[in-house]
Amino acid sequence: KTLALRNSAISIFQAGVLAADPYKAVHQCLKTDQNQSQIWLTGLGESRTGNWSLIHLIAIGKAACAMIKAAIDIIPSQLVGNAVAVTNYENEMPLDGVKVLAASHPLPDEAGFNAAKQCHEVAEKAKAGELVLVLVSGGGSALTIRPPVHGNSSVGTRPICCMVRKAGPSSTPNSDMASLVTCTAVGE
């Protein structure tokens, strides 16, 4: 009986670890159709499709490297544009085709400020008909910070993910603005 309980406990633990895998989480919510270059975001209660000419990737958080790796493995290579991942120092790893930046977590540092600027540049350079896919996991708010706006100290330091969400997705499919989609992975 003790062995059966132990095996059950191990099985439950392993299922929990697999459920929190950020690579798998992205695979569950991001799908492509190679023929039409469309992307579906599922598992979030919503989906978006489009025929984007390029897909720029920004991944922020302790699971950034795993999430952006999954996105690159899913998206057809000819569609992948600029790719930047911001993670904590402990999870930094080289990834082909990705600018990987590391910053401090849980306390923000200057590297987080510089990383936020680089993420902002990727989003700013996106053109009409291109998608900026933002993948966010835990730790993102400490890893990508910006200083007070125009010297207004009452605003304080804010994470770039708030700036990205404020921009929001374009409201019409034929908008002149580049589309922006946020896909949040639960696991780390």
Side-chain angles (χ1 to χ4, degrees):
K1 185 172 181 172
T2 303
L3 183 59
L5 287 174
R6 182 179 187 281
N7 288 340
S8 291
I10 290 171
S11 181
I12 292 167
F13 173 77
Q14 289 172 337
V17 169
L18 285 175
D21 182 323
Y23 185 90
K24 284 186 166 208
V26 171
H27 266 273
Q28 289 174 350
C29 73
L30 183 63
K31 308 288 180 200
T32 62
D33 180 333
Q34 299 288 345
N35 297 327
Q36 298 182 22
S37 301
Q38 294 185 336
I39 293 180
W40 291 267
L41 292 174
T42 59
L44 301 174
E46 297 181 18
S47 65
R48 296 233 359 229
T49 61
N51 291 310
W52 299 290
S53 58
L54 274 180
I55 301 170
H56 304 284
L57 302 170
I58 299 172
I60 302 167
K62 293 178 283 183
C65 290
M67 293 186 308
I68 205 164
K69 172 79 169 105
I72 287 173
D73 288 350
I74 296 166
I75 299 168
S77 60
Q78 73 274 13
L79 290 179
V80 177
N82 294 313
V84 62
V86 183
T87 191
N88 58 323
Y89 294 112
E90 297 82 5
N91 290 320
E92 181 183 21
M93 66 175 64
L95 293 170
D96 289 340
V98 179
K99 184 174 199 170
V100 179
L101 306 169
S104 178
H105 181 276
L107 298 175
D109 64 2
E110 186 72 19
F113 171 71
N114 293 328
K117 287 196 305 189
Q118 291 190 43
C119 291
H120 184 77
E121 287 173 15
V122 168
E124 283 272 310
K125 290 179 182 176
K127 296 177 176 63
E130 297 179 351
L131 174 71
V132 174
L133 179 63
V134 180
L135 303 155
V136 183
S137 71
S141 61
L143 294 168
T144 51
I145 60 162
R146 67 180 184 149
V149 179
H150 304 293
N152 181 353
S153 60
S154 65
V155 175
T157 302
R158 300 190 311 180
I160 192 173
C161 56
C162 294
M163 295 169 24
V164 169
R165 288 190 181 187
K166 186 175 181 184
S170 60
S171 57
T172 59
N174 298 323
S175 170
D176 288 336
M177 295 177 58
S179 296
L180 174 70
V181 177
T182 303
C183 175
T184 305
V186 176
E188 303 224 22

